Structure formats: C-alpha cells, structure tokens
Amino acid sequence: MPPPIVTKRLTLAVAPAALLGAMTAACTPLGLFATLSPKDPSVVGVRGAAYGPHPRQRLDVYAPRDARGAAPVAVFFYGGSWDSGRRQDYNWVGHALAARGFVTVVADYRIYPEVTYPGFLEDGALAVRWAVDNAAAHGGDPGRIVLAGHSAGAYNAVMLGLDRRWLASAGVDPSAVRAVAGLAGPYDFLPIASPITERIFGATPDLPATQPAAHVRADSPPAFLATGLDDEMVWPRNTKRLAAKLREAGVTVEERHYANVDHIRIILALSRPLRGRAPVLEEMTAFLRRHAR
C-alpha cells in the first residue's frame, strides 16, 4: 500500500507564480493538491494540537460553519502504508466531513521505522481520547464518535472500533464509537505477502490478533466498508471478508464496491474536484450520520 499520490488525470489550472509558491510549500503531488484544490466551507478550529509528546502526535480540527447543537465527531486517519503521510495533505477531507455536519479531527500518528504494530494504534487511541476530551470546545458531542480512514488509515479506524483494548487503554469508553468507515482497507491479509506488511507486522508474536476481522463481536459498531473494483493495492476481498464476518455476527454493515475506482480514486472522491466519480462521500456520511444520532 504505497502512499497515496495524485494521478496524471488530475489537472490543476493555476497561474505559474501561484503554482511555484504552492510547490515550494507542498513538495508532493498530494500536498500540491491539498494546497490548490477548492475546499468545502467549514471552520478550522485548531491546527497542530498536541495529543501526546511526540512531534507526530498532532492533529487538526475542522468544524461545521452553521452547527445547530452539538455535532457528531469524526476522527479520520489517512493511509500511507504505516510509513508515510501527513495530516496537512488531507485538509480537504477535514473540510468535506465538517461541511456535512461532523466536527472532524485529522490526526497524524507515528510511523515506521520509528514504530511497528501496534504503535500507530496506540497513537490513534490517544487521538480519539483527545477528541473525547476536547470535542465540546469545538461544538462536538464527545458521546457520538465515528472513526474513518483510507487504506492503512482504514485499518487503524476499523481496528480501533473492533479491538476494544486500544481505546480502553487510552481511557476511552469503546461504546462512544457509534460507527466506523473504512475505504480500501486491509482487514484480513494473512498470510503476509508483501515486504511492507512484513516490516510492520512480521515481528508480532500473535499475527492473527493483528487482523481486524479477528475481533468481530456481536456488539461491534456498525460499519461502512467501501472499495474500488479496480483496486490492485488492497484487494477488494478484504472488504468482502470483513463485511461477511460482521453480518454473520449480526452487525449492521453497508458494503460498497465502486466500478472504475481504484485505490487512490476512492479517497480522492471525497474532494470537491473529483466527487463526481463515485458517491463515496454522500454514502459514507449518510451512514455515519444515521448511526451517530
């Protein structure tokens, strides 16, 4: 699961001076996209808030402009194979979710080689704890948390929802998580078949316990699981297997397989410029709102 990139199909029409300035600031295709692409209207509540002492334990908060009453809180984790990524490159996700009624936290987390499994889950749980403790100050309801992510971030979000020990160890009541959403996530990928996952998970004594699908329970949170039929980085069978196990346990699942969508397009479909390619944002947020009431 290499870090997301912006494909050649995405073109940005900007003045040369603006482009040069943005490239200097962003340095990567995804960073350039995050800098220049139009955003949904929302309020940036805070940038770079610390949820721990490490430089990567930082998060940004986006809030609805016209919230009426306390809003549900979405904590979003980006992908990048657990060895890359930064929250600034996903500001458009924060704006998109906030514009649809969620106080949204976009969190960085420690990555390889500094940590392997379960370091990024421990960080994710701490970010959720920060959201619970601070949501009210940004107009959010700390009792209505939803977790979402893409690729490796989908693993993080879904694993935190299913394997209760991580949130509990951070002092979070797991029942506060009302639903999870995973886009193109690896949930059932044993045996390990790639150098990336071997580096991240290979030294774990209990490999089966690293799989979200191993932690399905009858009281697991409702799940929105989506994948692209053209995804060749994280095979759609991950989504199919986890969805089937959740249904067998009696858990509410909404499963989506989008035609002509690959591993990168499914997350870019949350952005304003590329939203017309698949109804990912509309369907995901409708599901999360419904279960966060």
Side-chain angles (χ1 to χ4, degrees):
M1 290 166 290
I5 59 172
V6 179
T7 68
K8 291 188 291 184
R9 294 180 179 86
L10 176 62
T11 58
L12 301 170
V14 296
L19 180 61
L20 179 61
M23 288 181 68
T24 301
C27 300
T28 67
L30 188 58
L32 183 62
F33 178 68
T35 300
L36 298 179
S37 64
K39 314 294 191 303
D40 293 279
S42 68
V43 175
V44 180
V46 64
R47 293 192 191 276
Y51 66 86
H54 191 275
R56 285 193 63 88
Q57 292 174 326
R58 300 291 184 271
L59 54 81
D60 298 337
V61 179
Y62 304 82
R65 277 189 175 178
D66 302 313
R68 298 178 181 178
V73 180
V75 182
F76 175 81
F77 300 101
Y78 53 75
S81 304
W82 301 285
D83 66 1
S84 64
R86 60 177 200 154
R87 69 186 188 280
Q88 297 92 329
D89 293 344
Y90 293 86
N91 56 18
W92 43 280
V93 176
H95 285 290
L97 295 180
R100 277 147 189 82
F102 297 88
V103 171
T104 304
V105 172
V106 180
D108 281 330
Y109 50 91
R110 289 174 298 160
I111 55 178
Y112 181 86
E114 186 161 4
V115 298
T116 57
Y117 172 92
F120 37 82
L121 293 176
E122 294 167 343
D123 284 5
L126 289 175
V128 176
R129 172 62 187 268
W130 188 98
V132 169
D133 290 345
N134 295 276
H138 300 280
D141 182 347
R144 295 189 295 149
I145 304 288
V146 299
L147 308 179
H150 168 247
S151 191
Y155 171 96
N156 295 355
V158 172
M159 189 67 160
L160 290 173
L162 297 183
D163 187 353
R164 295 183 164 211
R165 56 184 165 157
W166 306 115
L167 291 180
S169 67
V172 177
D173 181 354
S175 67
V177 175
R178 301 294 185 88
V180 297
L183 305 180
Y187 315 118
D188 193 359
F189 54 83
L190 295 184
I192 292 176
S194 75
I196 295 172
T197 49
E198 177 63 34
R199 289 195 298 267
I200 303 300
F201 296 94
T204 306
D206 186 1
L207 271 176
T210 67
Q211 304 297 287
H215 298 280
V216 170
R217 303 159 35 129
D219 59 353
S220 293
F224 177 89
L225 301 175
T227 186
L229 292 176
D230 293 344
D231 194 335
E232 296 182 351
M233 295 184 187
V234 176
W235 297 108
R237 63 175 177 252
N238 281 269
T239 292
K240 293 178 182 178
R241 288 174 180 174
L242 180 58
K245 288 190 175 183
L246 288 166
R247 288 194 192 96
E248 289 171 6
V251 179
T252 299
V253 182
E254 188 168 317
E255 183 181 358
R256 290 286 181 266
H257 297 263
Y258 298 110
N260 302 313
V261 171
D262 62 15
H263 193 70
I264 306 306
R265 290 178 185 173
I266 196 167
I267 183 64
L268 291 178
L270 301 185
S271 69
R272 287 186 70 179
L274 302 173
R275 199 164 290 161
R277 294 185 173 183
V280 183
L281 181 65
E282 177 183 350
E283 294 181 349
M284 180 179 76
T285 54
F287 179 91
L288 294 176
R289 277 196 304 270
R290 189 161 61 247
H291 291 282
R293 289 173 181 166

